[in-house]
Amino acid sequence: MDRAILLMLASILAGFALLRIPLEGTFLASLEPVTTIIGILAVVIFSLVLIYKGFMSLLGK
């Protein structure tokens, strides 16, 4: 399996981790909107890249 694909899957998991991390009651609570946006962007972008690579693989390119 291609290392880049595994790296993208790890990035998607990291994005989900940023979405689920509890920051209430800590000094990082003010950064929660930023971590949410970064998590959403990571999941969406890397998922789209994986879908694109899958289509290219199916088409033989």
Side-chain angles (χ1 to χ4, degrees):
M1 185 177 283
D2 191 17
R3 283 180 166 247
I5 292 176
L6 290 176
L7 182 62
M8 287 180 218
L9 287 174
S11 300
I12 291 171
L13 288 175
F16 278 120
L18 278 175
L19 291 174
R20 302 286 300 173
I21 192 166
L23 295 176
E24 308 84 40
T26 66
F27 67 96
L28 297 173
S30 63
L31 295 177
E32 189 169 6
V34 175
T35 60
T36 302
I37 290 171
I38 293 172
I40 290 170
L41 286 175
V43 170
V44 170
I45 290 171
F46 288 110
S47 296
L48 289 174
V49 171
L50 282 177
I51 291 170
Y52 174 77
K53 284 191 169 279
F55 279 137
M56 290 295 115
S57 177
L58 285 174
L59 295 175
K61 294 184 178 183

